[in-house]
Amino acid sequence: MVVDDLSDGELDRVFRALADPTRRDILVRTMRAGESVSSLAAHYRMSFAAVQKHVAVLERAGLVNKQRHGREQIVHGDPETLHRATTLLERYERLWTDRATRIAGILADEEGSTT
Amino acid sequence: MVVDDLSDGELDRVFRALADPTRRDILVRTMRAGESVSSLAAHYRMSFAAVQKHVAVLERAGLVNKQRHGREQIVHGDPETLHRATTLLERYERLWTDRATRIAGILADEEGSTT
DNA sequence: ATAACGTACAACCAAATGGTTGTAGATGAC
DNA sequence: GTCATCTACAACCATTTGGTTGTACGTTAT
């Protein structure tokens, strides 16, 4: 199972995209259901163009995609990319437990034999 | 169980800290085992001061902490903060499945019964 | 056809980021 | 004490970011 193969550049974009409250909010909304860019823009106190830029950042990161529908552009959250990021963090967490296990192993060795 | 309560500002810092390959590498190393700042700096082609700054970013994000040991400052990865970030992403992912479940529920209702 | 709507994108600006060099303070070794 | 090492931090610089306004273009409605 190929769990995760995001390149360094992709990871940069994914985490950078997540490092902004407006973008996280957009992600949450579009994960729940698709929403047009202007509909999204209505939720925030910034200009339409600013929201458009935030969506573009999320899109470049692969966290959302856009689907044309008439004159509207519907933004959808992409669970796949999000899942890959989650998996990576879980792997980082595992480094810690592996380390604990390794130390436990060393201690066990010292108690019983060589050295 | 209070799984996760990172504020917006904390999340900004955590994800921003993760959005750089050098910092991700430092995190991996220090999760495996503590390492002094100068020892870390030896791994990269940038200046000592630059690495010091990266460590500071990770520290402000709560992803690592420093422990003075003699004249050295040992950097340790913090699995707790990392876990909180992971949990948040998992929650974001759940929005998707919840949405799918919700839709499935609606379809089931339309078909005629409550299963 | 014309008006209104939704979007795209360029130009511009202030602030933050990621790097540099240089200086200075503690601590450990000799 | 003196010297080398590890760290901290300021000042500076180029680039990126997050916001703005303005203009242009395709689509829908009247």
Side-chain angles (χ1 to χ4, degrees):
Chain A
M1 172 170 52
V2 182
V3 240
D4 198 357
D5 56 341
L6 289 171
S7 75
D8 258 27
E10 289 171 317
L11 283 176
D12 290 358
R13 277 174 250 133
V14 169
F15 287 123
R16 179 147 252 303
L18 291 170
D20 179 284
T22 303
R23 287 196 293 260
R24 285 194 299 273
D25 195 67
I26 291 177
L27 183 58
V28 167
R29 287 177 187 278
T30 58
M31 288 287 288
R32 291 179 167 283
E35 202 167 336
S36 77
V37 182
S38 53
S39 162
L40 283 171
H43 299 304
Y44 313 103
R45 292 175 57 254
M46 67 192 70
S47 70
F48 171 83
V51 174
Q52 211 177 7
K53 279 194 185 180
H54 282 307
V55 171
V57 171
L58 287 164
E59 197 180 12
R60 262 178 262 125
L63 286 167
V64 306
N65 52 69
K66 290 190 291 190
Q67 227 177 349
R68 183 138 245 139
H69 216 267
R71 65 183 155 185
E72 290 183 338
Q73 199 80 266
I74 310 297
V75 183
H76 298 269
D78 184 337
E80 177 60 21
T81 307
L82 198 47
H83 185 64
R84 292 197 185 164
T86 309
T87 303
L88 184 86
L89 293 193
E90 279 166 355
R91 280 225 297 271
Y92 283 4
E93 287 189 59
R94 271 201 64 193
L95 292 178
W96 169 263
T97 45
D98 285 356
R99 169 180 168 279
T101 305
R102 218 162 53 238
I103 292 173
I106 291 167
L107 292 178
D109 282 356
E110 281 176 356
E111 275 179 13
S113 56
T114 57
T115 304
Chain B
M1 174 169 52
V2 181
V3 241
D4 198 358
D5 57 342
L6 289 171
S7 73
D8 258 26
E10 288 172 315
L11 283 176
D12 291 358
R13 275 173 251 131
V14 169
F15 287 123
R16 179 146 251 306
L18 290 170
D20 180 283
T22 303
R23 286 195 293 260
R24 285 194 299 272
D25 196 67
I26 291 176
L27 184 58
V28 166
R29 288 178 188 278
T30 58
M31 288 287 289
R32 295 173 82 82
E35 202 168 336
S36 77
V37 182
S38 53
S39 161
L40 283 172
H43 299 304
Y44 313 102
R45 292 174 56 252
M46 67 191 72
S47 70
F48 172 82
V51 174
Q52 209 177 10
K53 278 194 187 182
H54 282 307
V55 171
V57 170
L58 287 164
E59 196 180 12
R60 264 178 260 125
L63 286 168
V64 306
N65 53 69
K66 289 189 291 189
Q67 226 176 348
R68 179 136 249 139
H69 216 265
R71 65 182 155 184
E72 289 182 339
Q73 199 79 265
I74 310 297
V75 183
H76 298 269
D78 184 336
E80 177 61 20
T81 306
L82 198 47
H83 185 65
R84 292 197 186 165
T86 310
T87 303
L88 183 86
L89 293 193
E90 278 165 356
R91 281 225 297 270
Y92 282 6
E93 287 190 59
R94 272 201 63 193
L95 293 179
W96 169 263
T97 44
D98 284 357
R99 168 181 169 278
T101 306
R102 217 162 54 236
I103 292 174
I106 291 168
L107 291 178
D109 282 356
E110 282 176 356
E111 275 178 13
S113 65
T114 52
T115 305

